[in-house]
Amino acid sequence: MLSLYVATIFYSLHYALTLYLGSSFLVQFVDISRVGLIYIISAALTTYVAFELSHFLNNFTNYRVALTAAALEVFALLLLSTVTTPWLAILLFVIQQILVHVVFVSLSISLSEVSRRSESGSVRGVYFTILNFGILA
């Protein structure tokens, strides 16, 4: 359980960084009035992927899905740091937004797998407290 809490700290710090820098990054490529539209598209696609995630979890383990999503997200961020064309920046941004949420769902599933049902409420409370403190840091 401690390893999941540590992973949550790193995830939340990483998530906060991308959360705070996302719109500033996009403004380099598109007009500020279009940034909200990009976030809406990202949210819609993330919702779709969340509904389809069960198919991946049935075919692969949660551990593999989490590692693959995390690795792909790091790769997307590395590509985002070097991109110069607007369409590629938008595409990679949307992909990164989807993958960061897949990692979140995978961490949540892992948490429910390792905690006993009788203590799941307090474990989840600690998890979300750590997550929120990491985002605020």
Side-chain angles (χ1 to χ4, degrees):
M1 188 103 55
L2 180 62
S3 62
L4 275 174
Y5 289 150
V6 172
T8 301
I9 291 170
F10 286 115
Y11 169 80
S12 64
L13 293 172
H14 162 76
Y15 178 68
L17 185 64
T18 59
L19 181 70
Y20 294 132
L21 296 178
S23 58
S24 300
F25 173 78
L26 287 174
V27 169
Q28 297 175 15
F29 299 99
V30 297
D31 186 58
I32 190 119
S33 62
R34 304 274 184 196
V35 171
L37 179 63
I38 295 168
Y39 272 98
I40 290 170
I41 292 168
S42 295
L45 291 173
T46 298
T47 303
Y48 174 76
V49 169
F51 284 120
E52 296 298 320
L53 192 57
S54 64
H55 299 297
F56 289 104
L57 293 172
N58 288 335
N59 294 327
F60 308 102
T61 63
N62 181 49
Y63 180 76
R64 286 185 179 161
V65 169
L67 282 181
T68 302
L72 288 173
E73 197 227 345
V74 168
F75 186 65
L77 285 172
L78 289 173
L79 289 175
L80 273 171
S81 69
T82 62
V83 71
T84 57
T85 57
W87 69 269
L88 189 56
I90 293 168
L91 177 66
L92 289 170
F93 178 81
V94 170
I95 290 170
Q96 184 274 330
Q97 290 291 299
I98 292 168
L99 292 171
V100 77
H101 288 91
V102 169
V103 172
F104 171 76
V105 170
S106 292
L107 280 173
S108 183
I109 290 170
S110 296
L111 189 69
S112 66
E113 288 174 349
V114 299
S115 63
R116 287 181 282 167
R117 185 175 294 275
S118 62
E119 61 185 24
S120 65
S122 60
V123 168
R124 199 164 284 284
V126 171
Y127 169 76
F128 282 115
T129 300
I130 292 170
L131 183 68
N132 287 323
F133 274 125
I135 291 172
L136 290 174

